[in-house]
Amino acid sequence: RKALMLTGLGGMAICSVVIALLLSDIPTDSSDSCNGVRFGQWSDTVACVMIFVYIGFFSIGPSSIPFLIAPELFSNAARPKAVSVCLLANWAGNFSVTYLFPLVQEQICGWVFMIFAGLLLTFCLFLWWKFPEVAGLSTREITDLFRSKDRDENWPMISITSH
């Protein structure tokens, strides 16, 4: 699951950079110029293809994997509430992106995709260093892994408990 998330997020980040470059010079309704890179007539077509590739990478990881990981991380007693909070966060994030995208695009044109690329890179780094591979582990083993005081040096976790 971790590998699928990293593949999906990494592919989405690369696609976002390419889309930002390709759409950087296309002005919006309220601006005359976006001061971007001019590639030519073909850049619109390639940007559309890259959007579909982006959706493919999204399908590999971030679209379905969070729905699989969240129930695995919590014990039976906490699972319904915890998954509800995870789903609320997912929907709130999707709503925010959908609502804010046109507003930000009006200001910075196609460069808006660089914001996505930066966030996706941050998510990749967080997953790489802070999230363990949980495939094949029982809920009890996962819970013990998160509670363990002497974790492996390759997997440092931020402690959120009070001392």
Side-chain angles (χ1 to χ4, degrees), residues 17-127:
V17 170
V18 172
I19 292 167
L21 289 171
L22 291 172
L23 299 181
S24 65
D25 195 46
I26 297 173
T28 60
D29 294 337
S30 65
S31 65
D32 295 330
S33 176
C34 288
N35 300 322
V37 182
R38 178 163 295 285
F39 286 100
Q41 291 293 97
W42 55 269
S43 65
D44 296 348
T45 305
V46 175
C48 285
V49 169
M50 291 306 294
I51 293 284
F52 286 109
V53 174
Y54 180 98
I55 292 169
F57 278 115
F58 179 77
S59 298
I60 289 171
S63 70
S64 60
I65 298 299
F67 296 102
L68 298 174
I69 290 177
E72 291 179 342
L73 296 180
F74 303 101
S75 64
N76 288 339
R79 188 172 294 142
K81 290 179 183 176
V83 170
S84 295
V85 170
C86 291
L87 291 176
L88 175 66
N90 190 326
W91 280 93
N94 288 334
F95 174 79
S96 299
V97 168
T98 303
Y99 181 75
L100 294 174
F101 180 84
L103 302 175
V104 177
Q105 185 187 26
E106 282 294 319
Q107 301 301 314
I108 62 174
C109 303
W111 294 112
V112 69
F113 287 96
M114 291 304 276
I115 295 171
F116 293 132
L119 289 171
L120 290 163
L121 180 60
T122 302
F123 300 153
C124 281
L125 293 174
F126 176 80
L127 280 173

